[in-house]
Amino acid sequence: MTTHTPPANAEELKRAVARDGVEFLLVMFVNLRGKACAKLAPAHTLDRLLTEGLGFAGNAADGLGQTSADPDVVAIPDPTSYVRVPIQENLGIVQCDLYVRGEPWPYAPRGILRRQLERLAAQGLELKAGAEPEYFLVRRTDDGGIRVADELDDAASPCYDAHAATRALDHLTTISRSVDALGWGNYSNDHEDANGQFEHNFGYADALRTADRVVVFRHLVRLAAHRAGLIATFMPKPFADLTGSGLHLHLSVWEGHRPLFEAADDPRGLGLSRQAYGFVAGVLDHAPGLMALTCPTVNSYKRLGARAGTLSGSSWAPGYASYGGNNRTHMVRVPDTGRIEVRCVDSAANPYLALAGLAAAGADGMARDADPGHPLDADLEATGTAADTGSLRPLPPTLLHAAEALAADDVLREGLGKTPDGYYTDYYAAEKRAEFDGYHRQVSDWELRTYLQV
Ligand code: GLU
Ligand code: MG
């Protein structure tokens, strides 16, 4: 039985690992792309892990600012991140902080978020976050493509379909039980808007812990699907004609036990405080650069745009830097008093970098006491709305646009911090330009159909 209080220090971690009968640990961290990297270590080496860590070739892990000529990146477990894998009970996972030559390595996404949160903590503030992960269950086809795992799952409007969810009951209940065993408090599991698409909901926590949870969650879902002979994909838009997958993030800032985003006397009627509006304004002001962090792949930009053609008739993903009340067509939704939901974030986002960027943008808005103006009631998926007046700022149409915006954003540059070679956002933008370039050099079927016989 796993207790639900994470170990506070090395001694408690050792006791928890012994109590849980964990034999092996995945010594884990994520790279720039959010890829979970790990080595498997026997639990009896825990003392050494906690003092010396494990060495990795940073260039092989990819996206860690290293070449093959550089010294090891040393991963040292953070005891508070320990979990036992519920569907593989002799296996534990620890998230690590990264060091090179004994110093914190500024290319480590988890360290980048940690430092941004420490800046808030220096002002007595804490960012809390909840995450709503969406993904698809698919199978490979003989021609190298993919199809929805359950071939009966082909309804035009499958969202909340009780029968489709019940056909996926083995998978959904495995994940639900696992999330509960991890102590995160599962409260909902649903069939989402696209065929083959699912979402699971669990409690919010401080931003670092929630980022760790997203990493573990993805790992768990992929493992459970693999054991069932399926692929769970967190690719944002695997099917051109279906809604894509988001990672909506619900955010609130606290001062001790005081929720700073709540206000009973909000004249706009959303129950938000001045600080909350400042945070929203910061997120909207920095939206173009933030998008490179929240929507980090070439494929991400095919999910966005409220009028994109999907079988269900909605994308549920924003096209503009806008906010509204309980209205799912905006980049920022205010679903309830005291918190905001950032809806642009997609399933491929590196949760550490997305949250670090959002924290930096929001903190900037709060520091400037910025005002996002009045919330927009309009349905931005409908035609003939404010979006058509040109009064709203469209979100970047491609990864390349977003990468350029990130490189030009001073607040995000300072927020994500310096590296030995400059700023992390410059490194990140260069990696994303290269990713876009790799995509751009392909010649697609669309191009053949459109240009071959021109
Ligand atoms: N799947 C949609 C997205 O890509 C979100 C659907 C929802 O509102 O839950 O953001
Ligand atoms: Mg959803």
Side-chain angles (χ1 to χ4, degrees):
M1 179 71 191
T2 306
T3 65
H4 292 166
T5 314
N9 52 42
E11 284 314 309
E12 286 189 22
L13 172 60
K14 284 192 261 179
R15 276 202 293 276
V17 165
R19 174 202 64 209
D20 291 347
V22 158
E23 265 182 289
F24 297 98
L25 287 163
L26 282 173
V27 179
M28 187 178 278
F29 58 89
V30 307
N31 71 359
L32 175 146
R33 286 165 234 293
K35 171 187 158 197
C37 305
K39 286 185 178 178
L40 187 71
H44 65 73
T45 63
L46 192 51
D47 272 328
R48 200 168 83 196
L49 284 177
L50 286 163
T51 49
E52 292 168 34
L54 271 185
F56 290 76
N59 196 27
D62 183 32
L64 287 180
Q66 283 207 331
T67 68
S68 304
D70 287 313
D72 278 22
V73 168
V74 175
I76 301 204
D78 175 349
T80 68
S81 71
Y82 163 76
V83 294
R84 174 167 65 164
V85 180
I87 56 173
Q88 184 65 51
E89 293 198 333
N90 64 342
L91 183 66
I93 302 180
V94 275
Q95 304 302 326
C96 295
D97 293 309
L98 303 184
Y99 297 80
V100 174
R101 293 195 181 94
E103 296 296 324
W105 186 234
Y107 289 93
R110 192 170 193 267
I112 289 171
L113 176 59
R114 200 192 262 290
R115 279 190 295 282
Q116 180 55 43
L117 296 176
E118 281 165 5
R119 277 183 214 122
L120 286 178
Q123 304 168 54
L125 304 178
E126 184 183 32
L127 178 67
K128 295 192 193 256
E132 297 185 5
E134 297 178 335
Y135 62 92
F136 285 80
L137 289 180
V138 302
R139 293 177 205 271
R140 293 309 289 244
T141 52
D142 291 341
D143 63 359
I146 55 162
R147 67 171 175 82
V148 165
D150 173 3
E151 59 193 11
L152 300 178
D153 189 350
D154 63 355
S157 181
C159 200
Y160 309 135
D161 188 299
H163 189 56
T166 311
R167 285 198 307 270
L169 199 66
D170 280 352
H171 176 78
L172 295 184
T173 53
T174 298
I175 302 303
S176 170
R177 275 190 217 106
S178 298
V179 169
D180 270 343
L182 288 161
W184 305 350
N186 172 241
Y187 60 88
S188 169
N189 312 276
D190 75 325
H191 191 298
E192 267 292 326
D193 189 59
N195 307 108
Q197 190 184 38
F198 299 93
E199 173 177 329
H200 305 264
N201 300 108
F202 44 85
Y204 68 97
D206 68 86
L208 188 69
R209 192 176 301 283
T210 287
D212 287 346
R213 285 180 180 181
V214 169
V215 173
V216 169
F217 178 84
R218 289 174 179 164
H219 195 68
L220 175 76
V221 168
R222 291 178 65 193
L223 180 62
H226 173 74
R227 287 186 175 175
L230 307 175
I231 296 172
T233 179
F234 289 85
M235 178 178 178
K237 182 85 172 176
F239 299 100
D241 60 346
L242 300 179
T243 305
S245 292
L247 177 73
H248 301 159
L249 293 176
H250 292 253
L251 305 177
S252 55
V253 173
W254 296 61
E255 192 171 27
H257 293 296
R258 200 159 71 89
L260 278 195
F261 278 10
E262 272 181 37
D265 57 352
D266 174 9
R268 289 175 177 148
L270 298 181
L272 289 190
S273 65
R274 205 167 159 146
Q275 287 102 322
Y277 282 113
F279 196 100
V280 170
V283 168
L284 297 181
D285 287 346
H286 296 285
L290 272 177
M291 293 288 288
L293 305 169
T294 60
C295 305
T297 69
V298 165
N299 181 250
S300 297
Y301 293 80
K302 301 180 179 185
R303 157 182 171 261
L304 296 161
R307 281 176 240 160
T310 60
L311 200 58
S312 74
S314 287
S315 78
W316 306 100
Y320 299 90
S322 65
Y323 91 102
N326 199 344
N327 177 330
R328 290 183 169 82
T329 66
H330 294 278
M331 177 180 159
V332 176
R333 174 172 80 119
V334 184
D336 206 349
T337 57
R339 73 172 196 272
I340 64 163
E341 176 190 39
V342 183
R343 295 180 59 82
C344 59
V345 192
D346 75 36
S347 50
N350 178 324
Y352 302 105
L353 297 180
L355 281 164
L358 287 164
D364 173 59
M366 288 200 296
R368 289 187 286 115
D369 197 19
D371 182 7
H374 287 291
L376 212 60
D377 269 342
D379 171 0
L380 295 188
E381 287 196 342
T383 51
T385 64
D388 292 322
T389 69
S391 59
L392 290 175
R393 279 195 309 154
L395 294 173
T398 70
L399 180 62
L400 184 61
H401 290 79
E404 298 307 351
L406 178 66
D409 190 310
D410 293 341
V411 166
L412 297 178
R413 178 182 301 138
E414 287 301 329
L416 273 68
K418 282 196 169 130
T419 67
D421 311 303
Y423 281 94
Y424 185 77
T425 51
D426 290 330
Y427 172 70
Y428 185 96
E431 289 286 310
K432 292 297 160 181
R433 279 188 206 107
E435 194 171 320
F436 186 84
D437 198 42
Y439 161 71
H440 191 57
R441 285 175 190 283
Q442 306 297 310
V443 176
S444 65
D445 286 349
W446 182 90
E447 285 163 283
L448 291 180
R449 278 200 311 279
T450 311
Y451 304 124
L452 186 68
Q453 308 228 42
V454 168

